[in-house]
Amino acid sequence: MTTTPLNAVRYTAPILDWYAEHARDLPWRAPEATPWGILVSEIMLQQTPVARVLPVWREWMRRWPTPRALAAEPSGEAVRAWGRLGYPRRALRLHACAVTITERHGGRVPDSYAELRALPGVGAYTAAAVASFAYRQRHAVLDTNVRRVLARMITGVEYPPRSQTAAEVALAESLLPPDAPTAARWSVAVMELGALVCTARNPRCADCPVIGSCAWYRAGRPPHEGPPRRGQAYAGTDRQCRGRLLAVLREADGPVEKAALDVVWADPVQRERALDGLVADGLVDPLEDGRYALPS
């Protein structure tokens, strides 16, 4: 039987109590949320704030409430509905997931970590999150927020390593409550604490339920000693150019002429590079007549 170290309770209990009072009312956390809705939310929330995800998630679930409903449509419709969430390859992965779930799992999102991990584009984090949040299983769920909270609370450093380490996984597993449903709630609670209180910039330590046990706070909140952590640039990048090109295709009723793409980005070299990248990623189909379309 798996047990939780006795000293873990001084962290888990206050954070669980805090979550019970301060958790955001999000639709994918509602009792009626389906495993499919939770899987969709987890993929949409990768590198994207909740405020931007909410309207897209609601529309997505209205249109495709089940994996079977999405699998019945072309992958290009998933790209169109993705809108401006960014990183649109996630839309293709969700469509591929829907097809796999429909064909191999009878339309039901699998409940085992191994089967979830085998879905197209589903990594270790997403598999653990869906197994925990949809099926109330006991898994260490390590996203950016959780890693930051644990780094500060236990390790005493401002930020975790850039890449996840085995030591971080072992630490997260050591803090999991032994009861599976409680462990699942703990995973979302510590994630919420990182999103609302123990934020990357300007953490609100005075509002933290474990301020007295936080190693980083007790050490005087020492600053990060590694390389500067800069946000990703967007303006003028290939990523912005790709977004402009995809926007033309999303808003069109059908295939578009090359000229319609050329007018949205002035630099022809960068524009062609971005377009080639979209084609290579399967987000755009070049047609034999020279026009372009979302994938069919």
Side-chain angles (χ1 to χ4, degrees):
M1 177 178 175
T2 304
T3 59
T4 305
L6 291 177
N7 66 346
V9 177
R10 67 174 175 152
Y11 303 109
T12 58
I15 291 176
L16 285 168
D17 289 345
W18 172 88
Y19 181 74
E21 183 176 353
H22 298 282
R24 288 171 291 181
D25 182 16
L26 300 175
W28 45 83
R29 293 179 182 166
E32 65 272 18
T34 64
W36 170 242
I38 291 169
L39 173 60
V40 171
S41 75
E42 286 299 331
I43 292 180
M44 285 186 173
L45 287 164
Q46 293 167 8
Q47 299 178 287
T48 309
V50 166
R52 290 180 59 200
V53 166
L54 272 169
V56 180
W57 182 91
R58 288 193 173 106
E59 176 57 25
W60 190 287
M61 296 307 298
R62 183 199 65 76
R63 183 174 177 181
W64 299 307
T66 65
R68 196 179 300 277
L70 177 59
E73 297 224 35
S75 59
E77 287 305 300
V79 176
R80 190 190 308 278
W82 196 256
R84 300 182 63 82
L85 284 182
Y87 304 102
R89 276 178 290 182
R90 292 179 292 168
L92 293 181
R93 294 188 194 118
L94 258 177
H95 186 272
C97 276
V99 171
T100 300
I101 291 167
T102 300
E103 294 178 348
R104 300 183 186 175
H105 300 283
R108 179 182 181 273
V109 176
D111 58 6
S112 79
Y113 174 87
E115 289 179 314
L116 287 164
R117 186 71 177 81
L119 294 175
V122 171
Y125 162 77
T126 303
V130 174
S132 296
F133 305 150
Y135 296 111
R136 303 295 186 265
Q137 296 177 14
R138 188 178 185 274
H139 296 278
V141 182
L142 277 166
D143 77 340
T144 301
N145 286 319
V146 174
R147 294 179 64 222
R148 185 173 58 253
V149 170
L150 298 188
R152 291 172 179 173
M153 185 173 70
I154 308 295
T155 313
V157 296
E158 186 176 15
Y159 297 118
R162 287 196 174 275
S163 299
Q164 184 176 295
T165 66
E168 288 181 278
V169 176
L171 173 60
E173 290 175 344
S174 76
L175 291 169
L176 283 173
D179 172 67
T182 305
R185 189 169 178 80
W186 155 255
S187 293
V188 72
V190 69
M191 189 180 299
E192 189 80 334
L193 184 69
L196 300 183
V197 174
C198 194
T199 54
R201 299 179 181 178
N202 304 315
R204 299 188 290 110
C205 294
D207 297 327
C208 179
V210 288
I211 185 173
S213 303
C214 177
W216 184 59
Y217 183 82
R218 293 201 315 268
R221 299 187 10 162
H224 178 63
E225 294 182 350
R229 301 172 71 91
R230 299 185 178 92
Q232 290 183 329
Y234 181 71
T237 62
D238 283 8
R239 185 171 160 234
Q240 185 184 31
C241 181
R242 284 164 59 103
R244 295 267 183 90
L245 298 173
L246 269 184
V248 173
L249 294 165
R250 283 199 311 269
E251 293 162 10
D253 293 330
V256 302
E257 301 289 343
K258 179 65 161 54
L261 300 175
D262 291 343
V263 299
V264 300
W265 198 264
D267 183 338
V269 174
Q270 187 178 28
R271 185 178 66 239
E272 294 305 311
R273 182 172 65 240
L275 182 57
D276 287 345
L278 289 169
V279 171
D281 289 340
L283 289 161
V284 172
D285 279 350
L287 306 182
E288 291 183 358
D289 62 5
R291 295 182 298 168
Y292 291 83
L294 292 175
S296 60

